[in-house]
Amino acid sequence: MIKNIRKIFLLALGICCLHISKGQVHVRPTGPQEWLIKKNYYASYLLLKDPVLTQELVDSKPIAKVLEKRFERFAMSTDCRDLSCYLNAFKWQDGEIDLLAEQLAEQLGHDKKLEQLVQSTLIPSMTYGLLQHETAKSYFKKALQQDLKAMNYVVDVYAGGKKPNYPQIDSISFDVKRPAYLHLLDDVRQDILKDIPTSKTAFFMTMMTAVRLLEVNERWDAAQLEPLIELENKKAYEAVKSIDFASYPYSLLLTLGAGPEVYGQPISPGGMLRARMAARSYFEKLAPFIVLSGGKVHPYKTRFIEAIEMKKYLIEVMGVPEKAILIDPHARHTTTNLRNTARILLNYGFPKDKWAIVNSSKAHIDAVEKMGDRCMRELGYVPYSLGKRISDVIIEFKAKEEAYTIDPDEPLDP
């Protein structure tokens, strides 16, 4: 029975190419949908990638009962006549979140495979913060609660029209007051029921709803151009392995994006000037690599990725070799320019004891110098340490491991 459920579930979600053997979960995403899930809901993603383990966990009576009611509430949305009805069907209820997180975490001491997953994969990922004085159980519970609440946040914003943190660039694509909008939500409902046909897989019902809502809003930004290491960043990633970092004062130079104000403009005047600054520093051998950071941000629903357009400018206009350029095509704010570059520093093999530098306009670097409080408000941590300011337009920084932490209310770049 479990094997049949597993087959249906994998086929429905389009992930039938999983490679699971000897109790190990291979967590590599197989396409943009999985990249989106992995980046936003990592704990749930690990369970998604091991459906046998997940089925064992949700077969416990308390969890099965919650999922039966949850599935029934979603299935009954066929009779919805207003927006609030759909939102109620699509979202987890607070009591369900707490109960599921508690019950799943409770099984940690009784299921060796789950314990191995949490101890060997989830906690070392640092995606829910660094493990301080928490137990593995409390860390896993915290992770699940964050995931389920983050799914609800996507439903509120991209189905309900709630204002996101930055409404001018991240808002819903639809007028939720139009009667025709309810037909779209009904189509989403029908699609999810094809993916999640029974309560046996209802643990992933809100997750798949959130993913589908992001898709119809054209907001799969978190997955764009992935896997970066094998695509856009491949040449530079390979070059990192052989570079003599001792020959350079700094490990890399981060160049902050400057989004256009005119729709249809690929690169702004500010973006050109910052790219020129970066090229100058590169040819002066301040650092062997340039990181260009900026996603599809300005203006609202632009089709251009800042980092890609700045990369084109560096190669075609300034003559910087592609093997010296890394991109972060996801960041939407200065805080995440630094955070995402910190992740690159930590993941790509850069020397941890060497300073990196960031360049931009004088006003922008002034803001970076004072950005710690903003990071705490928006991210909950500061993902970098600042060093000295070596000019009006350049300041030193180092990556901190806190940078791995997922930001649950920024689904376009978590």
Side-chain angles (χ1 to χ4, degrees):
M1 184 64 170
I2 287 177
K3 288 183 178 179
N4 290 335
I5 293 168
R6 179 191 181 196
K7 185 183 293 185
I8 293 170
F9 186 51
L10 295 180
L11 290 172
L13 294 187
I15 54 175
C16 54
C17 297
L18 296 185
H19 303 288
I20 300 169
S21 62
K22 297 183 180 179
Q24 295 183 341
V25 180
H26 293 254
V27 296
R28 176 183 170 83
T30 59
Q33 178 167 281
E34 286 197 5
W35 275 105
L36 190 74
I37 295 169
K38 180 183 179 183
K39 286 187 171 185
N40 277 283
Y41 320 116
Y42 187 58
S44 300
Y45 173 77
L46 293 176
L47 295 177
L48 177 72
K49 294 290 274 186
D50 194 341
V52 173
L53 170 63
T54 301
Q55 204 59 62
E56 291 172 358
L57 297 175
V58 302
D59 274 346
S60 72
K61 288 185 178 180
I63 295 176
K65 187 175 181 181
V66 171
L67 294 181
E68 286 170 6
K69 290 184 177 179
R70 196 271 167 277
F71 181 82
E72 181 181 357
R73 187 171 73 254
F74 193 100
M76 292 298 291
S77 62
T78 184
D79 297 323
C80 282
R81 296 293 179 266
D82 57 50
L83 179 59
S84 62
C85 178
Y86 281 106
L87 298 181
N88 181 60
F90 289 172
K91 291 165 59 179
W92 290 109
Q93 294 178 349
D94 290 344
E96 293 171 340
I97 291 174
D98 292 339
L99 192 149
L100 284 172
E102 178 63 37
Q103 289 292 323
L104 286 168
E106 190 64 36
Q107 297 189 50
L108 198 60
H110 310 290
D111 191 304
K112 290 184 178 179
K113 191 175 182 183
L114 177 62
E115 187 169 358
Q116 181 183 9
L117 188 69
V118 172
Q119 295 280 12
S120 302
T121 304
L122 182 65
I123 291 174
S125 76
M126 294 178 274
T127 45
Y128 299 88
L130 308 184
L131 187 67
Q132 301 290 351
H133 305 293
E134 298 169 282
T135 63
K137 176 183 174 181
S138 63
Y139 192 90
F140 184 42
K141 179 180 177 181
K142 175 182 72 173
L144 291 170
Q145 288 175 321
Q146 177 175 304
D147 282 3
L148 303 187
K149 290 176 182 178
M151 296 166 196
N152 280 358
Y153 177 82
V154 169
V155 174
D156 282 332
V157 173
Y158 293 105
K162 175 184 174 180
K163 283 187 178 182
N165 297 327
Y166 288 86
Q168 289 188 330
I169 56 174
D170 295 338
S171 293
I172 191 172
S173 301
F174 308 101
D175 180 355
V176 300
K177 296 180 180 178
R178 291 187 61 204
Y181 177 63
L182 297 183
H183 299 313
L184 177 70
L185 295 185
D186 194 62
D187 289 342
V188 170
R189 178 192 65 81
Q190 293 185 56
D191 183 76
I192 298 306
L193 284 173
K194 295 293 184 181
D195 283 352
I196 314 290
T198 74
S199 64
K200 291 286 186 181
T201 51
F203 178 75
F204 299 110
M205 189 157 246
T206 297
M207 183 182 79
M208 296 310 301
T209 304
V211 168
R212 203 58 57 232
L213 288 168
L214 287 168
E215 183 179 28
V216 298
N217 276 274
E218 300 177 298
R219 294 297 194 179
W220 272 16
D221 296 49
Q224 64 194 5
L225 302 183
E226 294 288 6
L228 282 169
I229 284 179
E230 296 177 15
L231 299 172
E232 284 291 333
N233 285 346
K234 183 176 181 179
K235 290 183 179 179
Y237 174 67
E238 293 297 329
V240 170
K241 300 174 184 177
S242 58
I243 204 76
D244 179 14
F245 283 99
S247 300
Y248 297 85
Y250 299 101
S251 60
L252 65 72
L253 165 67
L254 162 62
T255 297
L256 303 178
E261 296 180 0
V262 179
Y263 192 83
Q265 185 180 53
I267 184 171
S268 71
M272 294 178 193
L273 292 172
R274 292 177 191 180
R276 296 185 76 86
M277 285 185 208
R280 189 174 295 112
S281 295
Y282 171 76
F283 288 121
E284 290 173 355
K285 298 191 179 300
L286 271 183
F289 298 98
I290 297 170
V291 172
L292 303 169
S293 180
K296 291 194 294 186
V297 187
H298 299 284
Y300 175 76
K301 297 298 285 284
T302 180
R303 67 183 186 277
F304 294 107
I305 299 172
E306 288 177 42
I308 287 289
E309 299 308 317
M310 292 175 77
K311 179 179 179 179
K312 290 178 184 176
Y313 186 89
L314 278 184
I315 294 172
E316 297 170 8
V317 178
M318 301 304 297
V320 177
E322 185 178 5
K323 67 179 182 180
I325 302 172
L326 292 157
I327 66 164
D328 156 35
H330 303 116
R332 307 181 70 75
H333 314 287
T334 307
T335 52
T336 49
N337 290 141
L338 270 292
R339 182 203 64 189
N340 293 358
T341 304
R343 291 174 177 174
I344 288 174
L345 283 165
L346 294 167
N347 288 333
Y348 280 47
F350 284 89
K352 293 183 179 180
D353 59 345
K354 199 173 187 71
W355 289 98
I357 49 177
V358 52
N359 86 277
S360 189
S361 64
K362 180 181 182 301
H364 207 173
I365 297 301
D366 287 344
V368 169
E369 257 189 322
K370 304 169 184 175
M371 199 169 64
D373 288 344
R374 180 184 171 191
C375 286
M376 291 303 299
R377 288 195 308 271
E378 297 185 4
L379 302 175
Y381 57 89
V382 181
Y384 56 84
S385 300
L386 290 180
K388 62 180 180 289
R389 188 163 178 168
I390 66 172
S391 76
D392 283 347
V393 295
I394 300 177
I395 192 169
E396 298 173 336
F397 76 101
K398 282 183 179 178
K400 294 170 64 176
E401 288 184 328
E402 285 85 349
Y404 286 122
T405 308
I406 292 171
D407 187 357
D409 61 0
E410 288 289 341
L412 311 191
D413 179 33

